[in-house]
Structures are given as structure tokens and as C-alpha cells.
Amino acid sequence: SIFRLDVSAASRTFAVRTYGGQVECYNSSASLRNCNTGVGTTTFSSNLYIIADGTANVQFIADVNNPTVNVTGDIDFTGTNSGTEVMNAGSGTWTVSGNIDFTSGTFNKGGSTIVMDGTSKTFTTAGQTLQNFTGNGTTTMNDSTTLVRALTVNDGMTLTFASGATLTMDFT
């Protein structure tokens, strides 16, 4: 099943709860719209897709309430029109068991921590900067990125890099 939070007519807020299937933050309009998060922990038991299918941007706003977000599937920016997908991560912890792909969008790191949890995952940052990164299992970085706060390597973590990809640590 797919739960689509269609914000084409107006910005809306995700209820703080567990979502059982794929979730989409969707905008097909010519006006900027937001999918806002509530206070607390929100769990997406499948994929979380941010989709700008109109001429305006859609923003996933987590930097107001700074929730804990758990995603058991993938996070992906998947819009096909001229609008851009934007994710404002806030200062919460984002635990993702699938792949992450920030291609064609903007990831605003805030004070967030990204935890890649699970086996055989890929992370495509599209060159965007991360604040804190924690790895569990095997993660392949598909492209180069900069980490500005903390890298936590847990027992059994394997971090690999696609050809030409680098991780710059700038903890100044």
C-alpha cells in the first residue's frame, strides 16, 4: 500500500505514528508546499519518497520539531517535473535500513544524524554535506561527500566507496 500526503493544495503535517507502507510527500502544483513532521518519533515501515511533480518545490520539513525518523526502506527524491525536492533534516536522528538517494534534490543537514542500518545499502549524497554519520552493516558511498561533525563506526561496519568517491572530514 502507498500513503500519499498530497500537499498540492496546501502544506500538511504528518501525524506522529508508524506508517505501514510506502509514504510519499507529493506536490504537483505551481506553488511551494511543505510536508511537516510532528513532535516525537515517526516510523516509515517502507520507503519515503519526496516527489515534486509540478513546477514548484516540495519540502520535507523536520527542522521545526526535530523528530526521530525511522525508515525501514529507502529515502529518495523522485520528482519528474521542474520542481525540486528539499529535505530539511533538523537535529533529529534518521535511521534508514534501505538506500538513500539525494540526487536531483537538496538535503539541508541541520544538526541531524544519519544512521545507515541494515545490510548492503547504498548512499548517494549527490555531493551534499552531512552533519553526523553512523554506520551499521555494509554501506557503499556512491559519490563524494563532506562530513562536518562526527563519524561513528560501529563493530561490524564496512564503509566502501564507489570508484572516485571520497569522504572529506571537516571537523573545524
Side-chain angles (χ1 to χ4, degrees):
S1 69
I2 296 173
F3 174 78
R4 175 175 277 184
L5 186 63
D6 189 339
V7 295
S8 299
S11 296
R12 300 177 63 192
T13 299
F14 278 103
V16 175
R17 67 181 190 93
T18 298
Y19 292 86
Q22 178 175 301
V23 174
E24 299 174 346
C25 168
Y26 179 85
N27 181 18
S28 64
S29 77
S31 298
L32 169 67
R33 299 288 190 237
N34 298 329
C35 293
N36 303 299
T37 60
V39 176
T41 299
T42 300
T43 299
F44 301 102
S45 296
S46 184
N47 302 317
L48 173 61
Y49 293 148
I50 314 303
I51 306 169
D53 265 350
T55 57
N57 296 354
V58 63
Q59 297 183 116
F60 189 92
I61 303 294
D63 59 344
V64 173
N65 292 315
N66 299 304
T68 297
V69 178
N70 302 307
V71 181
T72 61
D74 301 336
I75 294 178
D76 202 346
F77 297 158
T78 62
T80 58
N81 210 322
S82 59
T84 298
E85 295 81 20
V86 178
M87 180 178 283
N88 295 337
S91 61
T93 298
W94 292 69
T95 302
V96 181
S97 298
N99 304 313
I100 297 176
D101 189 346
F102 292 147
T103 303
S104 301
T106 301
F107 175 73
N108 296 313
K109 66 186 177 347
S112 66
T113 298
I114 302 289
V115 179
M116 295 293 287
D117 192 28
T119 59
S120 301
K121 301 157 307 295
T122 60
F123 194 169
T124 305
T125 64
Q128 299 183 71
T129 302
L130 305 176
Q131 183 75 8
N132 302 294
F133 180 78
T134 299
N136 298 314
T138 301
T139 300
T140 299
M141 302 298 284
N142 281 339
D143 53 5
S144 297
T145 192
T146 299
L147 182 65
V148 297
R149 191 65 162 171
L151 172 64
T152 303
V153 179
N154 290 322
D155 189 33
M157 176 191 173
T158 302
L159 186 61
T160 60
F161 295 87
S163 178
T166 60
L167 175 64
T168 301
M169 293 187 271
D170 183 7
F171 300 153
T172 58

